[in-house]
Amino acid sequence: MTGPGALGRRRMLGLALASPALVVLLGAVPEALPRRKAKFSYTSRELKIRVAVPDLLRTTDKQAMKMLDGGYPTRLVYDMAVYAKGSRTPSAAVHVEVSVQWDPWNQDYIVQTTIGAGSPTVRRYALRADAIKASTTLSVAVAKTSDIPRGEDQIHFVQVIAQRNPIEAKSSGAGGAARGQDRDLEVFSRWVGMFVRTRPKAEKVIEFRTHPFYVPHG
Amino acid sequence: MAERGSSRRGGGRSRRGTAGFRAVERRRELQERPPWWGRLEARITISLVAIGILCVGASSYLVALSVGYYDQVSERQVELQDETLSLAEPYYEELASAQRDAFLARTELLPHELGAIDDAELEAFLDRWIRARANVVEVVVERPGVEAVIVGRPDPATFIDERARVSLDGWIHVPIEWPLSEAGGLVRVTWAVDPTIRTRHRRLGELARGLGAVEVKDAGGEQSMAERDEVRQAVIAALGIASSLVLFVAILAGILIARRTTRKVSDLSSVMRQVASGELSVRAPRLGADELGQLAAAFNIMLDELEHTRRRIAYLQRVGAWQEMARRIAHEIKNPLTPIQLAVQQLREKDPGTDARFSALLRDSVEIVEDEVEALRRMVTSFSQFAKVPEVELEPVDLGRVLGEFERAYAHVDAALEVEALAEPIEVLGDRQLLKQVLVNLAENAALSAREAGVEEPEIHVSAARVGDRPLACVVVEDNGPGITAERRELVFEPYETTRAHGTGLGLAIVKKIVLDHGGEVSVGESEALGGARFEIRLRLA
């Protein structure tokens, strides 16, 4: 005799046992990312997002501030993608690059923002905190409104991957031409590369998703 | 004393008994295989594995030391580079500050120059002033109560520095303001700074960020950056796994080589143990041409000689026993023969001849008895000859002389005897008289066998020659008789073994005994030339 209570307990037990495996499996799924708040607005043409990632570049990060005040540019790269709930394919995506740099001639900070393949826009700030806030707070069009299905039952969220000073991977083209000891060295370096467990993609990487939203019918 | 002697004898038996027991124990121990750790294969394998582990471990340790050493060197280089970059970093700020100060100083001069210029000539003056300075983009003059005058470089997009190939628009603009006069107003001069400085500083920043990181390639050849510690651990892990693979291959190869090498020793050991336990018929397998192969071959030769000697001794013992028996039989039979013969002769002489039938019966009986006595006498003679084969006295003997004397003395043999002349003088170690007896026995055996087989003209061929490079001579006696079947070739030399109706079976036994006493060999086969038997006698050269 199996009652509904027994079935529920079994289901709960099964979920409890499977949850660690689910966490591992869903690690790459956008919906499994931590959630942060963001503001959404829309016009007839585009859907805009306003989101802040203050932990990407903090004034308490001494190394980052040292580099910034030393006049070295700091690159902040944002990749944002709009997902319909339950889907793993983005409806729209945008790539934003922000560069913050101290200008010792004009005694101010330059914040240069490039959205997609567009032209860069430059803003200047006398205070470092203002420059950091401007570079870590984005207000961009993330999708065309026409690309987003409307209605209360059409739930979306935005996945944000923010990187500080990302490391560009280079493709080596000299591997095939090497001979003798150079070729062995090439093979050995690849062999060693197989045992490097952590390959940092950037100085800092923050991944999250926004709270769900929907675009009402017009 | 008697007791002591008895005790000694008893002690002697006890010692012999103990020695026999020990021999049995030793044979039993030899038949048992040693435990696995005591076997040669296991020892060699363990040794090879230990050597492999030692070598790979030592190499790995040296490699780890090398990696650590170069890591230290690299760390020192990184520290130096970091220090260098730290020292270079302020120059950018200081350079910008110095340039800004210079721009400020030059901007300060402009109001003084403008003091004597009236409004009508202001624009023309400013234009000249800008043209006279390559890095001025624009000048703005604001006078109190008057509209500001703005004069810019007429051709800002042109290259002001042909080497840099950078237009003025791409330069860093630095606007500097300064009061025009105490009455008010200001001048603002926008200066241009070569952007290469910023580009270089940006590159410096990239280097500073990459300091301490190492480029690594993944399996696809794509490069990425990784921390030095991480790379060092990866190198050690990669070397560890590679060394483990090498060690595994070395162990595998070691086991295979050890097994291949020790299998020969094991085979040889197995054969030796069987020989030690009394089994002399076994032989070591062929083990190649190396030292073990030579050892196996030498061991087989030794076994062959041992077997040959054992058979020779057994044969001589057997013949010796038969000789003793023959001597006793001859003695026992020979003694009553003469009285018997005298008695029957007396009976024949004392026959009165009164009864013709009785006389005929007596005569026949006496003849029968005399025939049998004669037969017995011949047998006794043969037995005596067999029992009294003299001891061999070895000395260098000319084989040609032996053959010649044999031919002359025994030409009466009832057969066509042909003795082949020697191609070269051959001197053997032997007893001339006994060697002649050997030839006589063989010749008589051949002639009688041929006669009994119905051969009308028996032929006997005797020859001798050296045996290749060996220190042996071979005497061959062939005939055209019935020959000897392969099954009987070993038996014909046994005493009292004969197929002839009137043979005693002692002739060939005497032949073999004499030949063996000479240290030689005798064998029988089939004659290809005459179709009968072929006896080969091998004697040692002198």
Side-chain angles (χ1 to χ4, degrees), chain B residues 286-302:
Chain B
R286 288 188 175 184
L287 301 175
D290 56 7
E291 287 87 342
L292 285 173
Q294 289 177 342
L295 180 64
F299 184 65
N300 284 346
I301 291 170
M302 189 187 78

Side-chain angles (χ1 to χ4, degrees), chain A residues 1-12:
Chain A
M1 188 81 187
T2 307
L7 273 174
R9 278 197 298 277
R10 284 183 187 176
R11 195 170 294 162
M12 288 298 289

Side-chain angles (χ1 to χ4, degrees), chain B residues 9 57 187 269 480 492 495 513:
Chain B
R9 284 194 298 276
V187 291
S269 165
N480 62 345
V492 291
K513 182 179 186 315

